Amino acid sequence: MIYCVEDDKSIRELVVYSLNNTGFKAIGFEDAEKMQESLKTEKPELILLDLMLPGEDGITVLKKLKRNVETSNIPIIVITAKDTEYDKVIGLDNGADDYIVKPFGIMELISRIKAVLRRTQNTEKEEIYKCGDITLNKKAHTVKAGDEFVELTNKEFKLLYLLLKNMGNVLTRDHLLQTIWGYDFDGETRTVDVHIRTLRSKLLDCGELIKTVRGVGYRIGK
């Protein structure tokens, strides 16, 4: 599935129609809010993102997508009328995988989409993290404590993944809250503590590897 986030109805409908008739599945959104709602239940292969959107601008949306562990690996192609070198640098530096300036040809767009998908799929690797007797396989979405597989919720898995990926470093409660629950989550940092406690209990003896740094947050490893 490819998401097209574009407020211009004619462009959005043309892109979605063309993709659906060239072997892709695509859906359009007129603003980022509707796209974010859909992301709660589906993860697209790629996002086509206009920069000049109503509400949140495209760069802000791009930053949020790339900073969120749940969406950071989704390739994003920026599509915009802004054609200065500065605008392109801003888009690419903030995580865009490609930058297409309007007006554009549909065949060129499809070619660029295929190129980005080839590049990102070919570089996808199996990420395996270990600490003591804990083993996390990100691609397979599995966790083992010793010789036993552990069933974790999505949030617990993401917590453990972030801790292992940053092994030895302290992650603050605010950082974990923003990265896993998102910028619009209006809960308190207490939410992180509750999930850490549950995660520790599920990991049994291995749960002791998750250390509390008083007044700051959590770390795993040295």
Side-chain angles (χ1 to χ4, degrees):
M1 178 65 72
I2 294 177
Y3 283 3
C4 176
V5 190
E6 167 64 63
D7 65 325
D8 187 313
K9 183 179 179 181
S10 60
I11 295 177
R12 184 174 69 249
E13 290 183 346
L14 174 61
V15 169
V16 170
Y17 174 83
S18 300
L19 291 174
N20 283 326
N21 282 276
T22 51
F24 294 101
K25 290 183 179 180
I27 186 171
F29 302 92
E30 61 184 344
D31 58 43
E33 184 178 357
K34 291 184 175 64
M35 184 265 295
Q36 292 281 8
E37 189 66 27
S38 182
L39 283 173
K40 294 178 181 179
T41 57
E42 181 177 31
K43 183 177 179 180
E45 293 179 87
L46 182 142
I47 296 174
L48 302 172
L49 179 64
D50 184 23
L51 290 189
M52 300 176 70
L53 293 169
E56 284 189 318
D57 66 274
I59 290 297
T60 300
V61 175
L62 175 62
K63 290 178 180 178
K64 288 185 177 182
L65 290 170
K66 290 301 180 179
R67 289 174 181 171
N68 189 321
V69 67
E70 195 167 349
T71 57
S72 61
N73 291 328
I74 300 175
I76 297 174
I77 297 179
V78 166
I79 298 179
T80 180
K82 296 183 175 182
D83 61 354
T84 68
E85 182 179 10
Y86 173 78
D87 289 319
K88 292 179 182 178
V89 169
I90 291 297
L92 295 171
D93 281 355
N94 280 287
D97 294 271
D98 201 351
Y99 194 105
I100 298 178
V101 177
K102 299 176 184 177
F104 54 85
I106 289 297
M107 295 310 296
E108 178 192 359
L109 173 64
I110 292 172
S111 178
R112 301 274 279 270
I113 288 172
K114 290 179 178 178
V116 168
L117 289 175
R118 282 197 303 269
R119 186 167 69 247
T120 54
Q121 289 169 357
N122 289 340
T123 58
E124 184 178 300
K125 62 180 180 179
E126 187 175 52
E127 291 184 67
I128 297 176
Y129 298 90
K130 294 184 178 182
C131 181
D133 288 330
I134 298 174
T135 303
L136 181 148
N137 185 318
K138 186 174 185 293
K139 187 175 180 180
H141 208 274
T142 59
V143 172
K144 292 181 73 175
D147 295 324
E148 300 294 325
F149 283 100
V150 180
E151 293 293 330
L152 300 179
T153 66
N154 284 335
K155 293 292 190 293
E156 291 162 358
F157 185 89
K158 291 168 191 172
L159 266 175
L160 184 58
Y161 166 70
L162 281 177
L163 290 167
L164 289 169
K165 188 176 181 181
N166 297 276
M167 195 181 310
N169 297 320
V170 179
L171 300 182
T172 67
R173 290 176 175 84
D174 284 337
H175 174 75
L176 291 170
L177 188 65
Q178 290 181 346
T179 303
I180 295 172
W181 279 267
Y183 287 82
D184 295 329
F185 182 77
D186 57 2
E188 300 177 352
T189 54
R190 178 66 179 166
T191 300
V192 177
D193 298 333
V194 171
H195 280 75
I196 287 287
R197 185 164 63 246
T198 305
L199 176 59
R200 281 172 170 157
S201 68
K202 289 185 176 182
L203 294 172
L204 301 176
D205 291 342
C206 293
E208 297 178 359
L209 292 168
I210 301 175
K211 306 296 183 183
T212 300
V213 180
R214 191 174 298 277
V216 182
Y218 299 95
R219 76 164 185 270
I220 195 168
K222 296 181 179 180

PDB file of all heavy atoms in Angstrom, residues 31-43:
ATOM      1  N   ASP A  31      -4.997  15.512   4.103  1.00  0.00           N
ATOM      2  CA  ASP A  31      -4.171  16.161   5.120  1.00  0.00           C
ATOM      3  C   ASP A  31      -3.477  15.106   5.971  1.00  0.00           C
ATOM      4  O   ASP A  31      -3.794  13.910   5.904  1.00  0.00           O
ATOM      5  CB  ASP A  31      -4.993  17.108   6.007  1.00  0.00           C
ATOM      6  CG  ASP A  31      -6.149  16.414   6.709  1.00  0.00           C
ATOM      7  OD1 ASP A  31      -5.957  15.293   7.213  1.00  0.00           O
ATOM      8  OD2 ASP A  31      -7.258  16.982   6.734  1.00  0.00           O
ATOM      9  N   ALA A  32      -2.525  15.557   6.790  1.00  0.00           N
ATOM     10  CA  ALA A  32      -1.722  14.636   7.580  1.00  0.00           C
ATOM     11  C   ALA A  32      -2.521  13.980   8.690  1.00  0.00           C
ATOM     12  O   ALA A  32      -2.234  12.847   9.084  1.00  0.00           O
ATOM     13  CB  ALA A  32      -0.519  15.379   8.161  1.00  0.00           C
ATOM     14  N   GLU A  33      -3.517  14.678   9.212  1.00  0.00           N
ATOM     15  CA  GLU A  33      -4.306  14.134  10.319  1.00  0.00           C
ATOM     16  C   GLU A  33      -5.002  12.832   9.922  1.00  0.00           C
ATOM     17  O   GLU A  33      -4.980  11.848  10.671  1.00  0.00           O
ATOM     18  CB  GLU A  33      -5.336  15.157  10.787  1.00  0.00           C
ATOM     19  CG  GLU A  33      -6.137  14.706  12.001  1.00  0.00           C
ATOM     20  CD  GLU A  33      -7.124  15.759  12.476  1.00  0.00           C
ATOM     21  OE1 GLU A  33      -7.143  16.862  11.896  1.00  0.00           O
ATOM     22  OE2 GLU A  33      -7.872  15.468  13.425  1.00  0.00           O
ATOM     23  N   LYS A  34      -5.594  12.815   8.737  1.00  0.00           N
ATOM     24  CA  LYS A  34      -6.277  11.603   8.270  1.00  0.00           C
ATOM     25  C   LYS A  34      -5.277  10.486   8.004  1.00  0.00           C
ATOM     26  O   LYS A  34      -5.551   9.310   8.259  1.00  0.00           O
ATOM     27  CB  LYS A  34      -7.084  11.917   7.006  1.00  0.00           C
ATOM     28  CG  LYS A  34      -8.289  12.819   7.247  1.00  0.00           C
ATOM     29  CD  LYS A  34      -9.082  13.008   5.971  1.00  0.00           C
ATOM     30  CE  LYS A  34     -10.371  13.803   6.216  1.00  0.00           C
ATOM     31  NZ  LYS A  34     -10.104  15.182   6.674  1.00  0.00           N
ATOM     32  N   MET A  35      -4.103  10.850   7.498  1.00  0.00           N
ATOM     33  CA  MET A  35      -3.070   9.848   7.255  1.00  0.00           C
ATOM     34  C   MET A  35      -2.575   9.236   8.565  1.00  0.00           C
ATOM     35  O   MET A  35      -2.401   8.018   8.683  1.00  0.00           O
ATOM     36  CB  MET A  35      -1.901  10.492   6.497  1.00  0.00           C
ATOM     37  CG  MET A  35      -0.794   9.519   6.107  1.00  0.00           C
ATOM     38  SD  MET A  35       0.572   9.458   7.291  1.00  0.00           S
ATOM     39  CE  MET A  35       1.253  11.103   7.161  1.00  0.00           C
ATOM     40  N   GLN A  36      -2.359  10.079   9.585  1.00  0.00           N
ATOM     41  CA  GLN A  36      -1.898   9.592  10.885  1.00  0.00           C
ATOM     42  C   GLN A  36      -2.917   8.638  11.501  1.00  0.00           C
ATOM     43  O   GLN A  36      -2.548   7.653  12.141  1.00  0.00           O
ATOM     44  CB  GLN A  36      -1.658  10.775  11.831  1.00  0.00           C
ATOM     45  CG  GLN A  36      -0.495  11.673  11.449  1.00  0.00           C
ATOM     46  CD  GLN A  36       0.855  11.087  11.835  1.00  0.00           C
ATOM     47  OE1 GLN A  36       0.947   9.951  12.257  1.00  0.00           O
ATOM     48  NE2 GLN A  36       1.893  11.886  11.698  1.00  0.00           N
ATOM     49  N   GLU A  37      -4.181   8.916  11.308  1.00  0.00           N
ATOM     50  CA  GLU A  37      -5.225   8.040  11.840  1.00  0.00           C
ATOM     51  C   GLU A  37      -5.144   6.664  11.191  1.00  0.00           C
ATOM     52  O   GLU A  37      -5.282   5.631  11.855  1.00  0.00           O
ATOM     53  CB  GLU A  37      -6.600   8.669  11.585  1.00  0.00           C
ATOM     54  CG  GLU A  37      -7.748   7.953  12.273  1.00  0.00           C
ATOM     55  CD  GLU A  37      -7.687   8.026  13.787  1.00  0.00           C
ATOM     56  OE1 GLU A  37      -7.101   8.992  14.328  1.00  0.00           O
ATOM     57  OE2 GLU A  37      -8.218   7.089  14.426  1.00  0.00           O
ATOM     58  N   SER A  38      -4.899   6.634   9.885  1.00  0.00           N
ATOM     59  CA  SER A  38      -4.801   5.368   9.169  1.00  0.00           C
ATOM     60  C   SER A  38      -3.564   4.585   9.580  1.00  0.00           C
ATOM     61  O   SER A  38      -3.568   3.345   9.591  1.00  0.00           O
ATOM     62  CB  SER A  38      -4.780   5.622   7.662  1.00  0.00           C
ATOM     63  OG  SER A  38      -4.732   4.413   6.943  1.00  0.00           O
ATOM     64  N   LEU A  39      -2.486   5.290   9.940  1.00  0.00           N
ATOM     65  CA  LEU A  39      -1.242   4.633  10.343  1.00  0.00           C
ATOM     66  C   LEU A  39      -1.392   3.813  11.623  1.00  0.00           C
ATOM     67  O   LEU A  39      -0.561   2.964  11.917  1.00  0.00           O
ATOM     68  CB  LEU A  39      -0.128   5.673  10.533  1.00  0.00           C
ATOM     69  CG  LEU A  39       0.524   6.225   9.276  1.00  0.00           C
ATOM     70  CD1 LEU A  39       1.474   7.355   9.627  1.00  0.00           C
ATOM     71  CD2 LEU A  39       1.274   5.122   8.524  1.00  0.00           C
ATOM     72  N   LYS A  40      -2.447   4.088  12.374  1.00  0.00           N
ATOM     73  CA  LYS A  40      -2.677   3.333  13.614  1.00  0.00           C
ATOM     74  C   LYS A  40      -3.050   1.881  13.331  1.00  0.00           C
ATOM     75  O   LYS A  40      -2.862   1.016  14.183  1.00  0.00           O
ATOM     76  CB  LYS A  40      -3.781   4.000  14.435  1.00  0.00           C
ATOM     77  CG  LYS A  40      -3.414   5.382  14.963  1.00  0.00           C
ATOM     78  CD  LYS A  40      -4.584   6.005  15.726  1.00  0.00           C
ATOM     79  CE  LYS A  40      -4.238   7.401  16.234  1.00  0.00           C
ATOM     80  NZ  LYS A  40      -5.387   8.026  16.954  1.00  0.00           N
ATOM     81  N   THR A  41      -3.564   1.623  12.135  1.00  0.00           N
ATOM     82  CA  THR A  41      -4.007   0.266  11.809  1.00  0.00           C
ATOM     83  C   THR A  41      -3.293  -0.341  10.605  1.00  0.00           C
ATOM     84  O   THR A  41      -3.457  -1.530  10.329  1.00  0.00           O
ATOM     85  CB  THR A  41      -5.520   0.262  11.526  1.00  0.00           C
ATOM     86  OG1 THR A  41      -5.811   1.185  10.464  1.00  0.00           O
ATOM     87  CG2 THR A  41      -6.302   0.668  12.768  1.00  0.00           C
ATOM     88  N   GLU A  42      -2.513   0.457   9.885  1.00  0.00           N
ATOM     89  CA  GLU A  42      -1.855  -0.059   8.685  1.00  0.00           C
ATOM     90  C   GLU A  42      -0.504   0.615   8.491  1.00  0.00           C
ATOM     91  O   GLU A  42      -0.345   1.802   8.766  1.00  0.00           O
ATOM     92  CB  GLU A  42      -2.738   0.190   7.448  1.00  0.00           C
ATOM     93  CG  GLU A  42      -2.142  -0.344   6.156  1.00  0.00           C
ATOM     94  CD  GLU A  42      -3.089  -0.141   4.974  1.00  0.00           C
ATOM     95  OE1 GLU A  42      -3.843   0.839   4.995  1.00  0.00           O
ATOM     96  OE2 GLU A  42      -3.060  -0.970   4.056  1.00  0.00           O
ATOM     97  N   LYS A  43       0.469  -0.174   8.020  1.00  0.00           N
ATOM     98  CA  LYS A  43       1.788   0.367   7.729  1.00  0.00           C
ATOM     99  C   LYS A  43       2.028   0.294   6.227  1.00  0.00           C
ATOM    100  O   LYS A  43       2.181  -0.788   5.667  1.00  0.00           O
ATOM    101  CB  LYS A  43       2.880  -0.405   8.470  1.00  0.00           C
ATOM    102  CG  LYS A  43       4.274   0.172   8.261  1.00  0.00           C
ATOM    103  CD  LYS A  43       5.313  -0.576   9.068  1.00  0.00           C
ATOM    104  CE  LYS A  43       6.702   0.000   8.843  1.00  0.00           C
ATOM    105  NZ  LYS A  43       7.739  -0.724   9.615  1.00  0.00           N
TER     106      LYS A  43
END
